[in-house]
Amino acid sequence: MISYARQTHEEQPAAAPPPVEEHIAPAPRVSVQAFCETVETAAAVQSAGEDRRLGKAHLKIQMGGMAAAIEAYRSAPTPNVIVLESDGRNDLLGGLDQLATVCDAGTRVVVIGRINDVTLYRELVRRGVSDYVLAPVGAIDVVRSICNLFSAPEAKAVGRIIAVVGAKGGVGASTISHNVAWAIARDLAMDAVVADLDLAFGTAGLDYNQDPPQGIADAVFSPDRVDTAFIDRLLSKCTDHLSLLAAPATLDRVYDFGTDAFDSVFDTLRSTMPCIVLDVPHQWSGWTKRALIGADDILIVAAPDLANLRNTKNLFDLLKAARPNDRPPLYCLNQVGVPKRPEIAAAEFAKAIESQPIVSIPFEPQIFGSAANNGQMIAEISANHRSIEMFLQIAQRLTGRSETKKQKSSLLSPLIEKLRGK
């Protein structure tokens, strides 16, 4: 029998939520085979297979629909997921009955059909179909359906990865990432972790005034040991809601990594933390590119000069093309208004990149320098500084959350508190 998994169906199909707000957890390493009847659906499935969230899945596409699937599995084992396109009620239900006779236990089936009928849906549920998607479908519909098969409703929410990278060295990307993470933890009340990926020269430990004996290097160099308990031991607690996976910031070894070196670390963090902020160093390698493309959201930090404009444009275009079903990266301008320095205006940046900067953070060396030297965040140095609101604005855009509202106190509050105490 085809095993039962999560069923989803809408009797009245509504417009899908815009990709800019949607969070779809990546699928694990599974095999997926699709049997399509139309070239349009085959193209959508092919495009879905190129999405970052199906990067670990092995996808194969064949034409022929239900008949081809039944024939294929008469002499071959079935994959983890079968995607079937069908446009007829009788052929669909009869074909599923035949497929069940050759289908391995545990295989999940997603049906793409054109009939929007609750009776048909109930019949599909009775036969153990995991999901029914109304045609025509787009790539994101296929991605959502496959990924959601492995995100059980009762499971803990999969964490959101936010990558912050500088368009050029020295633009303050690490400072921005650390203060934004602070805002996520303090103002949005989300449990978050900062992963400092600059193992040789990372500054997260300094900025948070932490000197843990272990950190991210222990995980990267011991991939076989990485699990939830191991990662928890490596985390350094900064506040009630904020933790740090620190870089060693030593030069006693060379930090050359393969493309997938950080995969197990990121996957484990996703399973334990609602929000993961990656402080990505300004370098271009297989693993940094993979970290950026695989992130749920990206913030590029740039200074207002020509080299930063060029690099931001290059990063923006590459990441937008590599993540067609995600919203484009966000970017902000930092160190704006350096005395006597010619600068490119934010409007010129926006014209070249075809996107507005999320914020423009002014150059204020006194407070930023004091915070860095004291191992503090800007909010700890000056609670009302104007940049704090900008960090919160970035945090809200990257997480899709609004600021946690504090309850207003009334004249009766002191009396109520006394009564509660009794």
Side-chain angles (χ1 to χ4, degrees), residues 406-414 416-417:
K406 297 180 180 179
Q407 293 183 347
K408 294 182 179 180
S409 59
S410 67
L411 295 175
L412 296 177
S413 294
I416 293 172
E417 290 300 320

Side-chain angles (χ1 to χ4, degrees), residues 73-129:
Y73 299 129
R74 291 187 191 280
S75 57
T78 50
N80 301 111
V81 180
I82 300 174
V83 179
L84 293 170
E85 182 183 14
S86 176
D87 57 6
R89 181 195 299 266
N90 295 329
D91 291 340
L92 173 57
L93 296 178
L96 286 173
D97 290 338
Q98 292 184 56
L99 183 63
T101 64
V102 296
C103 190
D104 297 337
T107 296
R108 306 181 185 192
V109 174
V110 174
V111 174
I112 299 174
R114 288 171 171 75
I115 300 174
N116 187 14
D117 180 77
V118 68
T119 303
L120 172 62
Y121 170 66
R122 287 170 179 162
E123 287 296 323
L124 295 176
V125 170
R126 193 171 66 85
R127 285 167 169 80
V129 168

Side-chain angles (χ1 to χ4, degrees), residues 68-340:
I70 296 171
E71 184 62 31
Y73 299 129
R74 291 187 191 280
S75 57
T78 50
N80 301 111
V81 180
I82 300 174
V83 179
L84 293 170
E85 182 183 14
S86 176
D87 57 6
R89 181 195 299 266
N90 295 329
D91 291 340
L92 173 57
L93 296 178
L96 286 173
D97 290 338
Q98 292 184 56
L99 183 63
T101 64
V102 296
C103 190
D104 297 337
T107 296
R108 306 181 185 192
V109 174
V110 174
V111 174
I112 299 174
R114 288 171 171 75
I115 300 174
N116 187 14
D117 180 77
V118 68
T119 303
L120 172 62
Y121 170 66
R122 287 170 179 162
E123 287 296 323
L124 295 176
V125 170
R126 193 171 66 85
R127 285 167 169 80
V129 168
S130 302
D131 197 6
Y132 181 65
V133 185
L134 286 174
V137 296
I140 193 64
D141 299 315
V142 179
V143 170
R144 183 189 302 110
S145 180
I146 295 174
C147 290
N148 285 349
L149 295 178
F150 303 95
S151 298
E154 67 275 7
K156 190 174 181 178
V158 177
R160 190 183 198 93
I161 290 184
I162 296 168
V164 182
V165 65
K168 189 170 177 283
V171 297
S174 291
T175 298
I176 301 301
S177 68
H178 303 161
N179 279 276
V180 167
W182 181 273
I184 291 172
R186 188 191 69 165
D187 300 319
L188 305 184
M190 289 180 66
D191 287 332
V193 60
V194 174
D196 192 344
L197 304 186
D198 190 350
L199 272 68
F201 304 106
T203 59
L206 296 175
D207 286 351
Y208 290 119
N209 196 25
Q210 299 285 327
D211 187 22
Q214 294 178 304
I216 194 167
D218 298 271
V220 176
F221 289 112
S222 304
D224 295 338
R225 298 177 58 195
V226 173
D227 57 20
T228 301
F230 183 62
I231 292 294
D232 283 345
R233 290 197 298 271
L234 301 181
L235 292 176
S236 176
K237 197 77 170 177
C238 300
T239 69
D240 287 343
H241 290 289
L242 183 63
S243 299
L244 170 64
L245 196 54
T250 60
L251 304 180
D252 55 352
R253 66 195 307 174
V254 175
Y255 303 106
D256 291 332
F257 302 120
T259 301
D260 58 354
F262 288 86
D263 283 6
S264 59
V265 178
F266 297 162
D267 289 345
T268 305
L269 287 173
R270 274 187 186 276
S271 68
T272 58
M273 280 287 181
C275 185
I276 303 100
V277 178
L278 305 182
D279 182 1
V280 183
H282 178 73
Q283 65 181 67
W284 198 241
S285 62
W287 69 265
T288 54
K289 180 180 178 181
R290 185 178 179 90
L292 290 171
I293 292 175
D296 294 294
D297 277 293
I298 303 164
L299 176 68
I300 302 170
V301 180
D305 62 32
L306 184 59
N308 276 274
L309 175 56
R310 180 202 63 186
N311 294 353
T312 300
K313 175 67 173 173
N314 288 342
L315 277 170
F316 193 92
D317 290 347
L318 181 142
L319 293 171
K320 186 177 179 181
R323 306 163 75 252
N325 301 312
D326 294 87
R327 68 171 167 185
L330 302 175
Y331 77 97
C332 72
L333 297 179
N334 191 32
Q335 302 172 353
V336 176
V338 175
K340 299 182 180 181

